[in-house]
Amino acid sequence: MAARGRERGTGPSHLQMAALVKPLLFGYWRSSCSWRVRIALALKNIEYDQHPINLIQDGGQQLTDEYKKVNPMLQVPALKIDGITLTQSLAIIEYLEETRPNPPLLPRDPIRRAQCRIISEQIASGIQPVQNLSVLKRVGDKQQEWAQHYITRGFQALELLLKDTAGRYCVGDEVTMADACLVPQVFNANRFKVDITPYPTISRINQSLCQLEAFQVSHPGRQPDTPPDFRA
């Protein structure tokens, strides 16, 4: 009995076996939430496969019963990893940080760590959702005006916050989760023709980040489901 127990103990655990399976990301090429996760995966050098979910085709593939089993909120992204399925972009990034801590995406210093989370939440909860596809569909003919209003209001607050936290990037001189949130939001601002010249700190940080490989390979223009007309 003891020998069999030892044999069982030497075998790989369920978690170890699950970790051998390549992560699978359900996302959409232009989804800023999906892009945040792609950035984090790239920064941490995690290889993964993609399962594109077209938010427009067939009335929205995220609305199918099949995808509802992946994410009951019918949103992207979702990440299958380590034998579980994770949803919500910041929760996914935090999980990656806790299970694969190098390179870190959250500062060690508790104050800077809090600042990083504040910036991330300000973008992910306070700016991006109100110009989400599902919201814009309800707005009607004034979608661009709506998006411009809320992005501008959000950037006014974000610019002030970044003046106190920024170094080369959003929080000091190391790339963090906050930076993974910033670049997709600036992309959205440009998409909706928001003038970002009044936000020099946001513009400077975005330009620096866009030179990094992780932000380039995760760009919407370079995804498997990117339409030909939008390929970078």
Side-chain angles (χ1 to χ4, degrees):
M1 292 292 290
R4 285 199 296 271
R6 285 195 298 271
E7 287 174 3
R8 286 197 298 270
T10 58
S13 68
H14 172 74
L15 183 60
Q16 289 171 327
M17 291 294 291
L20 297 176
V21 178
K22 189 181 291 188
L24 177 63
L25 177 65
F26 296 81
Y28 180 60
W29 67 281
R30 199 161 59 182
S31 158
S32 57
C33 303
S34 301
W35 190 1
R36 293 173 203 148
V37 176
R38 294 198 302 262
I39 291 169
L41 290 165
L43 287 168
K44 288 184 175 291
N45 298 306
I46 300 171
E47 294 186 3
Y48 64 98
D49 291 325
Q50 294 200 53
H51 184 127
I53 300 295
N54 194 309
L55 303 184
I56 300 174
Q57 185 177 323
D58 303 324
Q61 294 176 350
Q62 76 279 15
L63 304 178
T64 63
D65 290 339
E66 181 182 2
Y67 187 67
K68 187 175 183 179
K69 297 174 184 177
V70 177
N71 185 355
M73 276 295 287
L74 307 176
Q75 297 173 338
V76 293
L79 182 68
K80 287 190 174 183
I81 188 171
D82 298 341
I84 60 173
T85 300
L86 303 173
T87 61
Q88 300 300 325
S89 60
L90 296 191
I92 293 171
I93 295 173
E94 293 257 14
Y95 178 83
L96 296 176
E97 181 71 1
E98 291 169 357
T99 59
R100 296 154 176 83
N102 294 310
L105 296 183
L106 286 170
R108 291 182 180 274
D109 178 78
I111 294 177
R112 286 191 171 273
R113 183 177 287 239
Q115 292 171 332
C116 177
R117 287 183 167 127
I118 290 169
I119 295 166
S120 301
E121 288 286 359
Q122 186 165 315
I123 295 170
S125 299
I127 304 176
Q128 182 267 324
V130 287
Q131 23 95 33
N132 222 354
L133 178 62
S134 60
V135 174
L136 291 177
K137 283 183 177 180
R138 307 285 291 186
V139 173
D141 295 336
K142 296 186 177 181
Q143 293 184 3
Q144 182 161 304
E145 180 183 338
W146 172 280
Q148 288 175 342
H149 170 77
Y150 285 105
I151 294 173
T152 298
R153 189 180 72 169
F155 273 17
Q156 289 171 349
L158 185 61
E159 178 72 14
L160 294 174
L161 178 58
L162 289 173
K163 285 181 178 179
D164 291 333
T165 66
R168 181 172 176 80
Y169 305 119
C170 284
V171 183
D173 296 325
E174 300 297 326
V175 177
T176 67
M177 178 171 69
D179 299 300
C181 294
L182 180 73
V183 169
Q185 187 54 60
V186 174
F187 179 88
N188 276 353
N190 290 328
R191 177 185 165 203
F192 289 110
K193 296 180 171 55
V194 174
D195 180 12
I196 63 172
T197 54
Y199 317 112
T201 310
I202 292 174
S203 298
R204 174 182 61 79
I205 295 170
N206 181 71
Q207 289 173 4
S208 296
L209 290 167
C210 287
Q211 296 176 26
L212 303 180
E213 182 179 5
F215 289 80
Q216 294 174 358
V217 299
S218 59
H219 189 278
R222 300 179 65 178
Q223 301 314 303
D225 56 328
T226 304
D229 291 347
F230 293 93
R231 288 204 166 273

